Amino acid sequence: MEEKNKLQKSIFGKWWQAIRIWFYPIWLLYELSIRFYDYAIAVQNHFIEQQDHSFLHFGEMGTNTLAMVCGVSTFIICTAFLTVPSSFVLYKFFKIENLTNSQFEAKLKKYF
């Protein structure tokens, strides 16, 4: 019975166990940052396209400033509330040996 309770080695080898603690959070940070950058650009483009219809009283300079502030705000808010906490959770998940004390976690970590 004790043999079944041991965590099996990763299919990628011993070297992967040390790297995976940092790889997944950094990969998540990179991927979400690219997505959030696209969201920020889309918000900025939306404001600039709507300048003639909705933002006449701001003028061109005001609309560009509003678009830039809203685009940067979108990126910062998404990063602060989604990317940073989820990267921390992934880091803790792979750093602590048996975080949830479940068989599913042991099986999942074996493949990752």
Side-chain angles (χ1 to χ4, degrees):
M1 183 128 173
E2 290 178 14
E3 294 173 3
K4 292 183 179 180
N5 286 337
K6 287 185 178 180
L7 184 62
Q8 295 182 358
K9 294 180 181 178
S10 173
I11 59 174
F12 296 114
K14 283 185 173 182
W15 61 272
W16 181 249
Q17 292 177 358
I19 294 173
R20 75 178 181 185
I21 292 173
W22 293 103
F23 174 75
Y24 289 116
I26 290 171
W27 172 78
L28 178 71
L29 184 68
Y30 168 75
E31 277 294 317
L32 293 180
S33 295
I34 296 297
R35 301 294 176 244
F36 296 154
Y37 177 75
D38 290 341
Y39 296 159
I41 295 297
V43 166
Q44 185 176 5
N45 289 338
H46 173 74
F47 279 115
I48 291 171
E49 288 172 3
Q50 296 300 320
Q51 179 180 356
D52 297 333
H53 306 293
S54 304
F55 303 111
L56 286 173
H57 55 280
F58 284 145
E60 186 176 340
M61 183 65 111
T63 303
N64 287 336
T65 304
L66 178 67
M68 188 179 307
V69 168
C70 290
V72 169
S73 299
T74 301
F75 181 80
I76 290 171
I77 290 169
C78 289
T79 301
F81 288 107
L82 297 172
T83 305
V84 173
S86 56
S87 294
F88 178 74
V89 167
L90 271 175
Y91 173 78
K92 283 297 189 182
F93 179 74
F94 285 109
K95 184 171 174 84
I96 298 173
E97 186 67 34
N98 199 358
L99 185 64
T100 61
N101 292 326
S102 67
Q103 290 291 85
F104 178 71
E105 178 186 353
K107 290 179 182 177
L108 183 68
K109 283 184 178 179
K110 179 178 111 176
Y111 293 110
F112 292 111

